[in-house]
Amino acid sequence: MSNYRRSREPGAIYFFTLVTHRRQPVLTTVPLRQALRQSIQEVRASYPFRIHGWALLPDHLHCIWQLPLGDEEFGLRWSIIKRRVSQQVGRDGALSASRAGRRELGLWQRRFWEHRIRDEVDYRRHMDYLHWNPVRHGLVQRVADWPWSSFHRLVREGVYPQDWGGRGDIGGAFGE
């Protein structure tokens, strides 16, 4: 068994990637989007965190969160969110003995990937990466065309120009 250690720093900013089990393209469906939004709101009420950036794709999501000072429990938050979403929408189909034994519903891959943001350059690169991801995967031609991302909020806040990433140019929206 692997001896994987997660980077834990209270109050840190983290980049996360979560993937559906067997890359099921279901995350952008209305029931799943609603269940995810509701679960995040409920978890944030008990375990606050700030969402800096988000991109929801059919089979995975990327996001950047900042935890409160003195708090390093992102794993607890993701565990609750994933469980609540799974319970709300359920998944049909056969489960392996391992998944059934763990009472998993077959929606999410078991683990998630996290990266602690090291500095401002790392932050900018990860924000640009998550917003560019729908274009990278061939889902849209321009970043602005993807409806399920924080890009639109960040345009309203003046962080990104509306045409950022529209011509394949992603030289950085943060003044680089």
Side-chain angles (χ1 to χ4, degrees):
M1 178 169 253
S2 66
N3 188 18
Y4 180 74
R5 291 179 171 237
R6 292 201 181 273
S7 171
R8 296 187 179 275
E9 182 180 326
I13 299 174
Y14 291 91
F15 173 85
F16 298 101
T17 299
L18 281 79
V19 181
T20 59
H21 181 58
R22 296 185 178 162
R23 291 264 183 191
Q24 300 167 82
V26 295
L27 292 180
T28 54
T29 65
V30 172
L32 256 145
R33 288 195 333 265
Q34 290 174 342
L36 185 59
R37 178 180 294 277
Q38 180 181 345
S39 297
I40 290 167
Q41 289 171 343
E42 291 170 359
V43 168
R44 286 176 76 187
S46 300
Y47 303 99
F49 59 92
R50 179 176 169 213
I51 298 171
H52 287 250
W54 197 283
L56 183 66
L57 285 78
D59 63 354
H60 68 286
L61 66 86
H62 298 292
C63 59
I64 296 178
W65 290 359
Q66 184 170 12
L67 300 178
L69 292 175
D71 190 340
E72 62 184 35
E73 292 297 330
F74 55 79
L76 172 67
R77 289 165 171 85
W78 278 123
S79 176
I80 296 169
I81 291 167
K82 288 168 67 174
R83 183 178 65 245
R84 287 184 178 177
V85 171
S86 295
Q87 289 170 341
Q88 285 183 49
V89 298
R91 294 303 307 150
D92 296 329
L95 295 176
S96 67
S98 172
R99 284 188 166 272
R102 293 173 190 243
R103 295 176 30 184
E104 295 175 351
L105 299 177
L107 175 60
W108 300 101
Q109 280 187 3
R110 208 168 266 158
R111 293 178 179 85
F112 58 87
W113 188 81
E114 102 282 338
H115 165 78
R116 187 179 59 78
I117 301 296
R118 296 180 305 270
D119 55 29
E120 187 65 25
V121 171
D122 195 31
Y123 176 83
R124 290 189 298 247
R125 286 181 180 152
H126 281 83
M127 286 290 281
D128 288 351
Y129 175 84
L130 73 85
H131 290 113
W132 179 252
N133 213 247
V135 176
R136 181 177 167 263
H137 285 279
L139 299 169
V140 290
Q141 294 284 318
R142 301 174 323 129
V143 174
D145 294 338
W146 190 248
W148 301 296
S149 122
S150 56
F151 176 76
H152 307 285
R153 172 180 56 88
L154 295 170
V155 166
R156 287 191 304 273
E157 293 173 3
V159 175
Y160 283 96
Q162 176 66 35
D163 64 348
W164 182 83
R167 298 171 309 278
D169 173 26
I170 58 166
F174 296 89
E176 290 183 336

